[in-house]
Amino acid sequence: NVPGAFVMHDHLHSRGGHGVTWEVDGVPVPNSNLATVGSQFDPKDVDYLEVQRGGLSSNYGDRSYGVFNVVTRNGFEANRFGEFQATYGNYHQTNEYLNFGSHSDRFAYYGSLAGSRTDRGLERVEPTVLHDQSASFSRFTNLIYRRSSMNELRFVGSARRDFYQVPNTLAQQRLGIRDNEIATDSFGNFTWVHMGSSGTLLTVSPYYHFNRGQYIGGPNDPLVTTDDRRSHYIGGYVNLAITKG
């Protein structure tokens, strides 16, 4: 748990606001104030989380409420490993998770797949639960190639898709209303890290981040309501650090 951080309306808040910066292995992932990548990560894919909640450098721009750096797992942690988990519970809730990874002297790979479903997704509007199923699927990968002791190439990518039935009242159910929501989020960054002989560390990372939110009215709705919004973020991150000792 992070002191002063909480989740409200599916968004992470820190010190009272949700304008936070997300980083993956030290590389910022661009997002709007309403789009966050935090839900992308299964905790089992995270090695550890670094958090800054105050006294932030001007490098972080207008995201003044906190910086969250997700340090991901990679194939160098073990050789030829894998894990599978599956659970089943009330309301037909299931959770499935698979990961695998390995490495050679220079190359390492790590990947995971995760899925879930339940008969109770969004908060119901009446005591009777009607049209309230949800499901999600995500995948994650981390590839590392150490060309030499001074150069490393890395690719980190993730994609997630969530499906929700919009709960009905009894009257809406009788009218045949069957609205759905779909949320899609994916990102990828390619990073080159070069360590110079004079105490310099250069990081160059082009990135891409995609968000999409859909509200899909049912075909038999008296009034079909449809909304489809998406955003694309393309850019790059360059950082040069110099250490003098």
Side-chain angles (χ1 to χ4, degrees), residues 40-48 70-74 77 81 83-87 95-100 110-116 138 140:
Q40 282 271 54
F41 294 98
D42 190 297
K44 293 182 284 295
D45 293 329
V46 178
D47 190 7
Y48 59 92
V70 179
V71 180
T72 60
R73 296 178 61 182
N74 63 76
E77 65 184 56
F81 64 91
E83 178 185 15
F84 175 74
Q85 298 179 13
T87 62
N95 290 276
E96 301 82 26
Y97 174 79
L98 169 70
N99 72 22
F100 51 89
Y110 174 88
S112 71
L113 300 170
S116 66
S138 64
F140 172 81

Side-chain angles (χ1 to χ4, degrees), residues 30-102:
N31 56 276
S32 71
N33 284 333
L34 297 179
T36 179
V37 299
S39 60
Q40 282 271 54
F41 294 98
D42 190 297
K44 293 182 284 295
D45 293 329
V46 178
D47 190 7
Y48 59 92
L49 178 68
E50 297 176 339
V51 180
Q52 298 184 52
R53 297 186 298 122
L56 303 178
S57 166
S58 59
N59 293 337
Y60 299 109
D62 62 348
R63 302 305 172 94
S64 58
Y65 292 100
V67 178
F68 295 81
N69 179 32
V70 179
V71 180
T72 60
R73 296 178 61 182
N74 63 76
F76 280 116
E77 65 184 56
N79 190 35
R80 295 182 181 178
F81 64 91
E83 178 185 15
F84 175 74
Q85 298 179 13
T87 62
Y88 178 82
N90 293 341
Y91 310 111
H92 303 292
Q93 179 177 343
T94 66
N95 290 276
E96 301 82 26
Y97 174 79
L98 169 70
N99 72 22
F100 51 89
S102 189

Side-chain angles (χ1 to χ4, degrees), residues 14-34:
S14 177
R15 299 192 299 124
H18 54 71
V20 302
T21 292
W22 282 99
E23 296 182 346
V24 178
D25 295 327
V27 178
V29 178
N31 56 276
S32 71
N33 284 333
L34 297 179

Side-chain angles (χ1 to χ4, degrees), residues 153-238:
L153 302 175
R154 174 180 299 214
F155 174 79
V156 176
S158 179
R160 181 183 178 95
R161 186 177 179 90
D162 297 278
F163 170 83
Y164 302 95
Q165 292 181 338
V166 178
N168 284 337
T169 64
L170 185 59
Q172 290 172 330
Q173 190 76 6
R174 289 172 176 170
L175 287 173
I177 294 177
R178 301 293 186 270
D179 294 352
N180 300 307
E181 290 185 354
I182 300 176
T184 306
D185 196 304
S186 60
F187 78 89
N189 65 51
F190 177 81
T191 303
W192 170 47
V193 179
H194 173 72
M195 181 179 296
S197 58
S198 57
T200 61
L201 181 65
L202 174 65
T203 302
V204 179
S205 181
Y207 52 68
Y208 172 72
H209 184 202
F210 170 73
N211 297 114
R212 184 180 185 184
Q214 299 170 270
Y215 189 98
I216 305 172
N220 298 320
D221 289 3
L223 177 62
V224 178
T225 302
T226 301
D227 190 19
D228 189 347
R229 300 188 181 188
R230 65 190 73 188
S231 58
H232 300 266
Y233 303 88
I234 302 174
Y237 170 79
V238 179

